[in-house]
Amino acid sequence: MGKAMNRAQILVEALPYIREFSGKTVVIKYGGKAMVDKNLKRRIAEDIVLMRYVGIKPVIIHGGGKAITSMMKKLNKEPKFIKGNRVTDKGTMEIVEMVLVGKINKEIVSLLNQFGGKAIGLEGKDGQLITARKCKDKSLGLVGEIEQINSALIDLLEREGFISVIAPIGVSSKGESLNINADTAAAEIAAALKAEKLIFLTDVEGILKDPSDEKSLIPGLAIKQTENMLEKGEIQKGMIAKVKACQIALRKGVNKVHIISGKRSHSLLLEIFTDKGIGTQVIK
Amino acid sequence: MGKAMNRAQILVEALPYIREFSGKTVVIKYGGKAMVDKNLKRRIAEDIVLMRYVGIKPVIIHGGGKAITSMMKKLNKEPKFIKGNRVTDKGTMEIVEMVLVGKINKEIVSLLNQFGGKAIGLEGKDGQLITARKCKDKSLGLVGEIEQINSALIDLLEREGFISVIAPIGVSSKGESLNINADTAAAEIAAALKAEKLIFLTDVEGILKDPSDEKSLIPGLAIKQTENMLEKGEIQKGMIAKVKACQIALRKGVNKVHIISGKRSHSLLLEIFTDKGIGTQVIK
Amino acid sequence: MGKAMNRAQILVEALPYIREFSGKTVVIKYGGKAMVDKNLKRRIAEDIVLMRYVGIKPVIIHGGGKAITSMMKKLNKEPKFIKGNRVTDKGTMEIVEMVLVGKINKEIVSLLNQFGGKAIGLEGKDGQLITARKCKDKSLGLVGEIEQINSALIDLLEREGFISVIAPIGVSSKGESLNINADTAAAEIAAALKAEKLIFLTDVEGILKDPSDEKSLIPGLAIKQTENMLEKGEIQKGMIAKVKACQIALRKGVNKVHIISGKRSHSLLLEIFTDKGIGTQVIK
Amino acid sequence: MGKAMNRAQILVEALPYIREFSGKTVVIKYGGKAMVDKNLKRRIAEDIVLMRYVGIKPVIIHGGGKAITSMMKKLNKEPKFIKGNRVTDKGTMEIVEMVLVGKINKEIVSLLNQFGGKAIGLEGKDGQLITARKCKDKSLGLVGEIEQINSALIDLLEREGFISVIAPIGVSSKGESLNINADTAAAEIAAALKAEKLIFLTDVEGILKDPSDEKSLIPGLAIKQTENMLEKGEIQKGMIAKVKACQIALRKGVNKVHIISGKRSHSLLLEIFTDKGIGTQVIK
Amino acid sequence: MGKAMNRAQILVEALPYIREFSGKTVVIKYGGKAMVDKNLKRRIAEDIVLMRYVGIKPVIIHGGGKAITSMMKKLNKEPKFIKGNRVTDKGTMEIVEMVLVGKINKEIVSLLNQFGGKAIGLEGKDGQLITARKCKDKSLGLVGEIEQINSALIDLLEREGFISVIAPIGVSSKGESLNINADTAAAEIAAALKAEKLIFLTDVEGILKDPSDEKSLIPGLAIKQTENMLEKGEIQKGMIAKVKACQIALRKGVNKVHIISGKRSHSLLLEIFTDKGIGTQVIK
Amino acid sequence: MGKAMNRAQILVEALPYIREFSGKTVVIKYGGKAMVDKNLKRRIAEDIVLMRYVGIKPVIIHGGGKAITSMMKKLNKEPKFIKGNRVTDKGTMEIVEMVLVGKINKEIVSLLNQFGGKAIGLEGKDGQLITARKCKDKSLGLVGEIEQINSALIDLLEREGFISVIAPIGVSSKGESLNINADTAAAEIAAALKAEKLIFLTDVEGILKDPSDEKSLIPGLAIKQTENMLEKGEIQKGMIAKVKACQIALRKGVNKVHIISGKRSHSLLLEIFTDKGIGTQVIK
């Protein structure tokens, strides 16, 4: 009984956090190892469904780069990248959409439903959720920049208790599919939903002073500081897109952005249900 | 961080229970030591507010015998009882109502609000919540039997997120106050609300085989068995009214009734968020 | 039949007044002899329920000083006052709350229900209806100043056809009960509800030029005039608090305030359903 | 002030009746002298608007025989009747509709609005309110029998606070206008609305034992008794259609039907707001 | 089958127009030959009902000058006009109202219902739809100028799927009927409803350069140009009122006004469902 | 203008059909050549969007066999069939889901949106839309039989104006994807939605007496007749599954089922907007 009492104690310690976030929207960019490891996938799904049951409104945006590359190889297409952006010809775009929408998105939906959630999978074409135009760099092909998020559809589904799971595919004014950066999509969706928080699940602990040293985690940054770090080149590789997405979200009204490791079990709960949180918090 | 992880783990272990009771009404008869001990009072309030935040709809019915007796003594009125029922003349009834409604009820309301709940205190006169007639034994005076519960008012308040805290005072067709047994009131209210559960917080562990031995707890009973036990005199004193209330609630459609100890910290959470539960469970 | 015809005639003469106040909120401060005399109590209740049935939305705030003093004496506590304000130590506050909430409030609720109303009794703790802080004069103890009125709760109950009956108890941020001046509470509630009218039921005919001469009634005053009268000391004793409350209500947007005698039968109807009205009307 | 007090007293004496009929539908067949006399018209309008303001839902069906006959004469058309039914050729039907809808109906609407009501005029074509077929007696021409009442339209208008004023014109499946007996229309509409009461305003005191003696009024009758009286020929002329309409209404679920004199001032209020009522009450 | 295919092809060609006007209000001033010719009447009704079924919200305002004059003659009253306005004494006003409301309005309502519409006929008195005051030129008698349109009633009926058919009768503050110019009424109603379009059905093709030459149709005009034409006297007779009504509607926020011929079959559909439209379009 | 008039004429000829189907659900099984031919795809999309704009509620279920087989070949997997059912191992199921959900479904959604529709793509996992269990023939692998359709989700989307486009993937109680026959899925969804009509778009004219002779089309059949034909082997190959699906739909309450050719332009409009319709109609 001592153990049970201990558990009860821990539940009530979560009350202040539940109270604080009750009725608020939290957008989660889901990607990296947390989307591949079978055990981590289940932990994340549990966390998200628990969030929904305690009154928080989670919205998921996922990536899927590795699975796309793997499918391209099976179909004998060579993946190409320019500055981290996938060069997306028509054939590649078809593979991107099939893999993101027909495989990864629905796996996440199904897993959330297994834990008792009511999830629904969407991409940009559904109800014109994400309208986009081709990006300026024509050599990238069908890579898109977001024009508008149709937040009314997500609001409707939220009100009815659904968790929206969104693949980062935009639709052009001609109805074409466009490949959208998932970090940017998460930022724009968080902004359109006036989300309380945007959380990036990544493969590192957060923003590091020294990228080679996980212990050099910076727990908090203001938007201005991230600009300086970008200028000085202190942020590198995949983190650049994330930090830029942070800036977009914060400038457009999101309250707080968090870059955390998705490699820990229950990292979402650790972030939301503790005072200290985990990873790096970026604020305005 | 290990401790935090442990906490997250415990939160998600609560998910199946949260899912099961989400949107359901749980009626709690609140009384005994749990209503007197300052620390226990806070634990109970925390539990109830947590229940509300995770989507359960708690409704509280409280007693207050000791405080009434104490106030009567201060006012030089001698409390009298017939078979455990308080003989209630007009002066006594005034004291009963003042103490229950003007003191105990509002203390509970205030405590729940302190923990972030939205509580509202009611008695039978409010919106004609509990209509009653005088009981047959005229020597008891203004002691009442419930005629009807106006569940529409509680439903309205529930829909708007309020926790109803109810003092067991009935109102006669002439507008008089009548003293109602709190256990019976809890049973009738649970029945009127089609509650999923009715939980009695008591000063013992549950129904005991041997009332002198707390270790002789009977974990589960069917309604039929409680009848046999009553006939054979195996249930005694204050437990008799509770067991009879169990029978009323179960016969009128409540799913499960629990008699548990309110003397443990977080006994409500222990009952709801563990498979084994605590105390004695009575089912149909 | 002539008598019946006369009655019908009188009913239709009320039509212009019913039309004028249909759907509007009228806040009534209920106190003094009208709250003690058995016959007057019934007349007031009839008036209020009639108002509700003809589409007016009455909200009642009551006092209860005499009953409190009487109970204090029974409990051997000596009432003390500073400038008309009750010195309220912890023990006094408990008595105040028990008497106001557990006795007077519920009597009014029950009487309104007897005449066919749907009344519900509230105090400041219910749904955090009246939040308050301790007043500056620390020698008064637990006497409070209103911080905020949660008018959403009263609006909800009004929409569902309930008449709110409110005891002037505030709640501090720590959950303590605070003793609130009933006249001020009525003014603040009328302001928060954007009431059409605020009516004070008193033991005098209204504001008198010569307090010793009931025939010196002043039928109408502007807020500015009341200020002058207060300065010159032409308003005295219990009337001072009422006049200050008038000023608060009018400055915060209430349309008209009336100080009338509750000692006449059906004084509320006389005020509302005649052109001349009764008592003193104070306007901006 | 004594007079005002007397008036207040009378208002509260109406409370039990207001309570009883609050929210209920009362269908009024309006005709005879009460529709012609300028003073009576205003009294009736006052009564109806008062009823609406105190929460009763009045619905008006009017006749207009005299005005029709008068207009026919101006247009050199000779009115013809068979057993009290107007022979209605195409030209006559046009006049009937113009006079009922374009004159009488809108006069009533305007008068009700003058007293503060929100009235709207309708006939059978509006939203297919009254569908009808030609009656069997072909010699009557465009005289109709009601097939169906579209009560949804009246319900909608009632919910929005409108008083429906209905001219007894039916519409055939081909879109033709049909002349409907106003008494029957009132009965069918009362039945379709599940009205609490149907009141016929007539030029006599009610059903008389001796039609030549106004003092021989029969205050109450059961439906069975009216059948006997019809068989024995004790009911005559215009009263026959009314009594048959009573029977229809009562058989289809209306609670009470009243045949009263519209020649008294405020006859509607006298009927509704007194225990004795006036005229003849017919019940099941 | 070729014919059927051709028909299907034409249906889908209407899709862009249906999409454009879906959910928008189109006010139609109905008058002239289109209101007299039996075949044209049916075509107009078909068009209006079709518009409703494809999601457009039509509102009809009709005239009726010829039928009024004809009825006046039958009743031996000589029609008189001053500058095109009917001199309207009390007797004339009664005839105007009877003919417009009791005959023409209900014929239109019935015809729309025959084609499957849900039409309801209204005039200014219904729910105080059109309040007006007597016009300045006292020699015109009961001719009115619009004060206010109660668009809430039309909105309510639109939401419930009804087509409002409105006779241009205003009501004075004393409840009198006032004769309103139908073109002006249409303009004011279109403005009050924030209509997308106002369409005048007339007996000419539109605004003509040379009124004697139907081929001199001006397809488009800006409001400024119509002012110049009015000044120069290039617009004459009945067209003057229409052009002034155009100006009112456009200035008060209607998007486009069309003056078209009602003498063609399906002129409304030709205007709405073709790029070119027909008649003269006036814009801001 | 003659051409335009002709077009208007054709539009109003559609009115009776629009009226008949207004507000009703029509389920369309979309497959075969109509899903491949670029021009036909656009015609079908136009038809569906037009249906929505004129008040019909279309729901689309699509197949995709050829695209699946083609993708399997690209990935070097050999398609196998048993009695027309695809043998579906885990790898095949992944390809089925990717192609149906990530390619075909979203292409249809995008095309409908291009024509002005508000389409949303769904599969069985979304909101647990189609729950299923593995079929009895274990050699088929992950082929499923439908257990339940969650019609509440489609109803919600319909109410908000969305067109649901559904891929025939079921979800097992363990969250696995199951391959569902699209004809059966269409029948079960039509039944769950209480659809007015279910239309199968196929590559033949309908049910033929002589499968080799397109002119031997049978225009109408009762369910009983289809049973006889199945028994006698008069129905063959792909048509067998369609006819069985017809029987399911009709037995579960769908009003009419149509098997039509999707190879004609605007075949949906031809079926719905003509008296004769096209193809074979099967009724109960």
mmCIF file of all heavy atoms in Angstrom, chain E residues 1 4-5 9-10 12 19 53-54 115 264-266 269-270, chain F residues 1 4-5 9-10 12 19 53 115 264-266 269-270:
data_model
loop_
_atom_site.group_PDB
_atom_site.id
_atom_site.type_symbol
_atom_site.label_atom_id
_atom_site.label_comp_id
_atom_site.label_asym_id
_atom_site.label_seq_id
_atom_site.Cartn_x
_atom_site.Cartn_y
_atom_site.Cartn_z
ATOM 1 N N MET E 1 -29.293 9.944 -75.614
ATOM 2 C CA MET E 1 -28.375 10.201 -74.481
ATOM 3 C C MET E 1 -27.541 11.468 -74.725
ATOM 4 O O MET E 1 -27.131 12.149 -73.785
ATOM 5 C CB MET E 1 -27.473 8.970 -74.277
ATOM 6 C CG MET E 1 -26.667 8.973 -72.998
ATOM 7 S SD MET E 1 -27.649 9.207 -71.484
ATOM 8 C CE MET E 1 -28.555 7.648 -71.411
ATOM 9 N N ALA E 4 -29.090 14.349 -73.049
ATOM 10 C CA ALA E 4 -28.894 14.315 -71.591
ATOM 11 C C ALA E 4 -27.479 14.761 -71.248
ATOM 12 O O ALA E 4 -27.256 15.523 -70.309
ATOM 13 C CB ALA E 4 -29.160 12.908 -71.062
ATOM 14 N N MET E 5 -26.511 14.279 -72.045
ATOM 15 C CA MET E 5 -25.122 14.639 -71.782
ATOM 16 C C MET E 5 -24.937 16.150 -71.921
ATOM 17 O O MET E 5 -24.234 16.781 -71.138
ATOM 18 C CB MET E 5 -24.228 13.909 -72.790
ATOM 19 C CG MET E 5 -22.779 13.881 -72.406
ATOM 20 S SD MET E 5 -22.390 12.404 -71.446
ATOM 21 C CE MET E 5 -22.635 11.133 -72.708
ATOM 22 N N GLN E 9 -23.645 18.747 -69.129
ATOM 23 C CA GLN E 9 -22.562 19.682 -69.413
ATOM 24 C C GLN E 9 -22.955 21.106 -68.985
ATOM 25 O O GLN E 9 -22.175 21.828 -68.366
ATOM 26 C CB GLN E 9 -22.267 19.641 -70.920
ATOM 27 C CG GLN E 9 -21.101 20.520 -71.341
ATOM 28 C CD GLN E 9 -19.845 20.224 -70.537
ATOM 29 O OE1 GLN E 9 -19.552 19.069 -70.226
ATOM 30 N NE2 GLN E 9 -19.126 21.266 -70.136
ATOM 31 N N ILE E 10 -24.193 21.478 -69.291
ATOM 32 C CA ILE E 10 -24.652 22.832 -68.963
ATOM 33 C C ILE E 10 -24.759 23.020 -67.448
ATOM 34 O O ILE E 10 -24.425 24.070 -66.906
ATOM 35 C CB ILE E 10 -25.990 23.110 -69.681
ATOM 36 C CG1 ILE E 10 -25.678 23.397 -71.156
ATOM 37 C CG2 ILE E 10 -26.743 24.258 -69.035
ATOM 38 C CD1 ILE E 10 -26.883 23.408 -72.048
ATOM 39 N N VAL E 12 -22.917 21.643 -65.146
ATOM 40 C CA VAL E 12 -21.606 21.867 -64.524
ATOM 41 C C VAL E 12 -21.027 23.213 -64.931
ATOM 42 O O VAL E 12 -20.214 23.787 -64.213
ATOM 43 C CB VAL E 12 -20.592 20.737 -64.797
ATOM 44 C CG1 VAL E 12 -21.096 19.439 -64.185
ATOM 45 C CG2 VAL E 12 -20.308 20.584 -66.264
ATOM 46 N N ARG E 19 -20.972 28.581 -57.034
ATOM 47 C CA ARG E 19 -19.928 28.722 -56.023
ATOM 48 C C ARG E 19 -19.786 30.174 -55.591
ATOM 49 O O ARG E 19 -19.663 30.480 -54.412
ATOM 50 C CB ARG E 19 -18.615 28.269 -56.653
ATOM 51 C CG ARG E 19 -17.737 27.486 -55.770
ATOM 52 C CD ARG E 19 -16.818 26.607 -56.577
ATOM 53 N NE ARG E 19 -16.118 27.350 -57.613
ATOM 54 C CZ ARG E 19 -15.525 26.770 -58.661
ATOM 55 N NH1 ARG E 19 -15.571 25.445 -58.798
ATOM 56 N NH2 ARG E 19 -14.916 27.492 -59.545
ATOM 57 N N TYR E 53 -32.327 26.690 -53.810
ATOM 58 C CA TYR E 53 -31.820 25.319 -53.675
ATOM 59 C C TYR E 53 -30.319 25.219 -53.932
ATOM 60 O O TYR E 53 -29.671 24.319 -53.424
ATOM 61 C CB TYR E 53 -32.586 24.367 -54.601
ATOM 62 C CG TYR E 53 -33.812 23.800 -53.932
ATOM 63 C CD1 TYR E 53 -35.062 24.348 -54.145
ATOM 64 C CD2 TYR E 53 -33.703 22.725 -53.056
ATOM 65 C CE1 TYR E 53 -36.179 23.838 -53.511
ATOM 66 C CE2 TYR E 53 -34.816 22.207 -52.422
ATOM 67 C CZ TYR E 53 -36.047 22.763 -52.653
ATOM 68 O OH TYR E 53 -37.144 22.252 -52.013
ATOM 69 N N VAL E 54 -29.780 26.134 -54.749
ATOM 70 C CA VAL E 54 -28.334 26.071 -54.972
ATOM 71 C C VAL E 54 -27.589 26.967 -53.987
ATOM 72 O O VAL E 54 -26.413 27.268 -54.189
ATOM 73 C CB VAL E 54 -27.947 26.405 -56.441
ATOM 74 C CG1 VAL E 54 -28.652 25.448 -57.403
ATOM 75 C CG2 VAL E 54 -28.274 27.847 -56.791
ATOM 76 N N PHE E 115 -43.411 25.464 -56.506
ATOM 77 C CA PHE E 115 -42.173 24.969 -57.111
ATOM 78 C C PHE E 115 -41.220 24.389 -56.065
ATOM 79 O O PHE E 115 -40.066 24.104 -56.367
ATOM 80 C CB PHE E 115 -41.492 26.079 -57.916
ATOM 81 C CG PHE E 115 -42.142 26.303 -59.247
ATOM 82 C CD1 PHE E 115 -43.028 27.336 -59.448
ATOM 83 C CD2 PHE E 115 -41.890 25.420 -60.292
ATOM 84 C CE1 PHE E 115 -43.641 27.527 -60.669
ATOM 85 C CE2 PHE E 115 -42.496 25.607 -61.526
ATOM 86 C CZ PHE E 115 -43.387 26.652 -61.714
ATOM 87 N N ARG E 264 -38.133 38.530 -70.478
ATOM 88 C CA ARG E 264 -37.519 37.310 -71.002
ATOM 89 C C ARG E 264 -37.788 36.161 -70.034
ATOM 90 O O ARG E 264 -37.822 36.365 -68.829
ATOM 91 C CB ARG E 264 -36.004 37.426 -71.025
ATOM 92 C CG ARG E 264 -35.455 38.483 -71.888
ATOM 93 C CD ARG E 264 -34.030 38.769 -71.387
ATOM 94 N NE ARG E 264 -33.348 39.689 -72.265
ATOM 95 C CZ ARG E 264 -32.791 39.318 -73.420
ATOM 96 N NH1 ARG E 264 -32.820 38.043 -73.796
ATOM 97 N NH2 ARG E 264 -32.200 40.211 -74.170
ATOM 98 N N SER E 265 -37.857 34.964 -70.567
ATOM 99 C CA SER E 265 -37.905 33.796 -69.691
ATOM 100 C C SER E 265 -36.588 33.696 -68.933
ATOM 101 O O SER E 265 -35.525 33.899 -69.515
ATOM 102 C CB SER E 265 -38.071 32.528 -70.532
ATOM 103 O OG SER E 265 -39.424 32.233 -70.675
ATOM 104 N N HIS E 266 -36.654 33.343 -67.677
ATOM 105 C CA HIS E 266 -35.469 33.047 -66.878
ATOM 106 C C HIS E 266 -34.437 34.164 -66.874
ATOM 107 O O HIS E 266 -33.229 33.911 -66.860
ATOM 108 C CB HIS E 266 -34.807 31.751 -67.369
ATOM 109 C CG HIS E 266 -35.734 30.586 -67.277
ATOM 110 N ND1 HIS E 266 -36.379 30.237 -66.125
ATOM 111 C CD2 HIS E 266 -36.158 29.713 -68.224
ATOM 112 C CE1 HIS E 266 -37.149 29.186 -66.350
ATOM 113 N NE2 HIS E 266 -37.049 28.856 -67.606
ATOM 114 N N LEU E 269 -31.887 33.934 -63.979
ATOM 115 C CA LEU E 269 -30.778 32.983 -64.165
ATOM 116 C C LEU E 269 -29.785 33.516 -65.187
ATOM 117 O O LEU E 269 -28.570 33.351 -65.034
ATOM 118 C CB LEU E 269 -31.317 31.627 -64.608
ATOM 119 C CG LEU E 269 -32.228 30.911 -63.609
ATOM 120 C CD1 LEU E 269 -32.478 29.485 -64.064
ATOM 121 C CD2 LEU E 269 -31.626 30.909 -62.215
ATOM 122 N N LEU E 270 -30.297 34.148 -66.238
ATOM 123 C CA LEU E 270 -29.387 34.700 -67.254
ATOM 124 C C LEU E 270 -28.459 35.736 -66.623
ATOM 125 O O LEU E 270 -27.276 35.810 -66.939
ATOM 126 C CB LEU E 270 -30.189 35.351 -68.389
ATOM 127 C CG LEU E 270 -30.983 34.379 -69.275
ATOM 128 C CD1 LEU E 270 -31.783 35.157 -70.311
ATOM 129 C CD2 LEU E 270 -30.048 33.386 -69.974
ATOM 130 N N MET F 1 -27.745 35.063 -77.356
ATOM 131 C CA MET F 1 -28.606 35.012 -76.156
ATOM 132 C C MET F 1 -29.464 33.747 -76.160
ATOM 133 O O MET F 1 -29.837 33.216 -75.123
ATOM 134 C CB MET F 1 -29.489 36.277 -76.096
ATOM 135 C CG MET F 1 -30.221 36.487 -74.789
ATOM 136 S SD MET F 1 -29.143 36.444 -73.312
ATOM 137 C CE MET F 1 -28.261 37.989 -73.478
ATOM 138 N N ALA F 4 -27.779 31.096 -74.239
ATOM 139 C CA ALA F 4 -27.850 31.341 -72.792
ATOM 140 C C ALA F 4 -29.235 30.955 -72.276
ATOM 141 O O ALA F 4 -29.367 30.320 -71.222
ATOM 142 C CB ALA F 4 -27.567 32.805 -72.489
ATOM 143 N N MET F 5 -30.263 31.321 -73.047
ATOM 144 C CA MET F 5 -31.632 31.002 -72.642
ATOM 145 C C MET F 5 -31.810 29.490 -72.539
ATOM 146 O O MET F 5 -32.443 28.982 -71.633
ATOM 147 C CB MET F 5 -32.595 31.595 -73.667
ATOM 148 C CG MET F 5 -34.009 31.649 -73.194
ATOM 149 S SD MET F 5 -34.352 33.250 -72.403
ATOM 150 C CE MET F 5 -34.206 34.345 -73.813
ATOM 151 N N GLN F 9 -32.872 27.322 -69.294
ATOM 152 C CA GLN F 9 -33.958 26.342 -69.370
ATOM 153 C C GLN F 9 -33.516 24.995 -68.772
ATOM 154 O O GLN F 9 -34.241 24.367 -68.000
ATOM 155 C CB GLN F 9 -34.370 26.184 -70.837
ATOM 156 C CG GLN F 9 -35.551 25.255 -71.052
ATOM 157 C CD GLN F 9 -36.752 25.668 -70.220
ATOM 158 O OE1 GLN F 9 -37.030 26.855 -70.055
ATOM 159 N NE2 GLN F 9 -37.448 24.694 -69.651
ATOM 160 N N ILE F 10 -32.322 24.597 -69.147
ATOM 161 C CA ILE F 10 -31.822 23.298 -68.668
ATOM 162 C C ILE F 10 -31.595 23.340 -67.164
ATOM 163 O O ILE F 10 -31.883 22.368 -66.452
ATOM 164 C CB ILE F 10 -30.538 22.930 -69.446
ATOM 165 C CG1 ILE F 10 -30.961 22.418 -70.835
ATOM 166 C CG2 ILE F 10 -29.727 21.878 -68.703
ATOM 167 C CD1 ILE F 10 -29.828 22.294 -71.814
ATOM 168 N N VAL F 12 -33.281 25.018 -64.926
ATOM 169 C CA VAL F 12 -34.538 24.882 -64.174
ATOM 170 C C VAL F 12 -35.138 23.498 -64.353
ATOM 171 O O VAL F 12 -35.877 23.021 -63.488
ATOM 172 C CB VAL F 12 -35.570 25.970 -64.532
ATOM 173 C CG1 VAL F 12 -35.032 27.339 -64.144
ATOM 174 C CG2 VAL F 12 -35.993 25.920 -65.955
ATOM 175 N N ARG F 19 -34.509 19.319 -55.813
ATOM 176 C CA ARG F 19 -35.468 19.316 -54.709
ATOM 177 C C ARG F 19 -35.568 17.944 -54.067
ATOM 178 O O ARG F 19 -35.581 17.794 -52.852
ATOM 179 C CB ARG F 19 -36.833 19.685 -55.286
ATOM 180 C CG ARG F 19 -37.654 20.569 -54.444
ATOM 181 C CD ARG F 19 -38.638 21.333 -55.288
ATOM 182 N NE ARG F 19 -39.438 20.469 -56.140
ATOM 183 C CZ ARG F 19 -40.094 20.896 -57.224
ATOM 184 N NH1 ARG F 19 -40.049 22.172 -57.585
ATOM 185 N NH2 ARG F 19 -40.784 20.065 -57.932
ATOM 186 N N TYR F 53 -22.944 21.545 -53.866
ATOM 187 C CA TYR F 53 -23.433 22.932 -53.884
ATOM 188 C C TYR F 53 -24.945 23.004 -54.021
ATOM 189 O O TYR F 53 -25.557 23.973 -53.593
ATOM 190 C CB TYR F 53 -22.752 23.737 -54.996
ATOM 191 C CG TYR F 53 -21.483 24.393 -54.526
ATOM 192 C CD1 TYR F 53 -20.245 23.826 -54.766
ATOM 193 C CD2 TYR F 53 -21.541 25.574 -53.798
ATOM 194 C CE1 TYR F 53 -19.084 24.423 -54.306
ATOM 195 C CE2 TYR F 53 -20.387 26.178 -53.338
ATOM 196 C CZ TYR F 53 -19.155 25.601 -53.586
ATOM 197 O OH TYR F 53 -18.024 26.200 -53.118
ATOM 198 N N PHE F 115 -12.112 22.266 -57.654
ATOM 199 C CA PHE F 115 -13.394 22.682 -58.221
ATOM 200 C C PHE F 115 -14.271 23.420 -57.204
ATOM 201 O O PHE F 115 -15.431 23.679 -57.455
ATOM 202 C CB PHE F 115 -14.146 21.483 -58.808
ATOM 203 C CG PHE F 115 -13.610 21.067 -60.140
ATOM 204 C CD1 PHE F 115 -12.732 20.004 -60.260
ATOM 205 C CD2 PHE F 115 -13.950 21.785 -61.280
ATOM 206 C CE1 PHE F 115 -12.215 19.642 -61.497
ATOM 207 C CE2 PHE F 115 -13.433 21.433 -62.521
ATOM 208 C CZ PHE F 115 -12.567 20.356 -62.635
ATOM 209 N N ARG F 264 -18.487 7.400 -69.149
ATOM 210 C CA ARG F 264 -19.126 8.546 -69.792
ATOM 211 C C ARG F 264 -18.788 9.812 -69.006
ATOM 212 O O ARG F 264 -18.659 9.771 -67.792
ATOM 213 C CB ARG F 264 -20.646 8.449 -69.692
ATOM 214 C CG ARG F 264 -21.259 7.260 -70.314
ATOM 215 C CD ARG F 264 -22.651 7.107 -69.683
ATOM 216 N NE ARG F 264 -23.419 6.099 -70.383
ATOM 217 C CZ ARG F 264 -24.029 6.312 -71.524
ATOM 218 N NH1 ARG F 264 -23.969 7.499 -72.101
ATOM 219 N NH2 ARG F 264 -24.713 5.340 -72.100
ATOM 220 N N SER F 265 -18.792 10.924 -69.709
ATOM 221 C CA SER F 265 -18.657 12.204 -69.016
ATOM 222 C C SER F 265 -19.904 12.434 -68.168
ATOM 223 O O SER F 265 -21.025 12.140 -68.609
ATOM 224 C CB SER F 265 -18.563 13.346 -70.036
ATOM 225 O OG SER F 265 -17.228 13.607 -70.346
ATOM 226 N N HIS F 266 -19.736 12.962 -66.993
ATOM 227 C CA HIS F 266 -20.862 13.383 -66.150
ATOM 228 C C HIS F 266 -21.879 12.288 -65.896
ATOM 229 O O HIS F 266 -23.086 12.546 -65.811
ATOM 230 C CB HIS F 266 -21.560 14.605 -66.758
ATOM 231 C CG HIS F 266 -20.636 15.758 -66.902
ATOM 232 N ND1 HIS F 266 -19.900 16.261 -65.856
ATOM 233 C CD2 HIS F 266 -20.307 16.513 -67.979
ATOM 234 C CE1 HIS F 266 -19.153 17.280 -66.289
ATOM 235 N NE2 HIS F 266 -19.376 17.442 -67.572
ATOM 236 N N LEU F 269 -24.200 12.948 -62.862
ATOM 237 C CA LEU F 269 -25.310 13.872 -63.090
ATOM 238 C C LEU F 269 -26.380 13.206 -63.941
ATOM 239 O O LEU F 269 -27.582 13.404 -63.711
ATOM 240 C CB LEU F 269 -24.810 15.152 -63.764
ATOM 241 C CG LEU F 269 -23.824 15.990 -62.948
ATOM 242 C CD1 LEU F 269 -23.594 17.325 -63.633
ATOM 243 C CD2 LEU F 269 -24.327 16.212 -61.537
ATOM 244 N N LEU F 270 -25.968 12.426 -64.932
ATOM 245 C CA LEU F 270 -26.951 11.740 -65.775
ATOM 246 C C LEU F 270 -27.815 10.814 -64.927
ATOM 247 O O LEU F 270 -29.022 10.704 -65.128
ATOM 248 C CB LEU F 270 -26.251 10.930 -66.870
ATOM 249 C CG LEU F 270 -25.541 11.765 -67.940
ATOM 250 C CD1 LEU F 270 -24.818 10.842 -68.921
ATOM 251 C CD2 LEU F 270 -26.534 12.642 -68.695
#
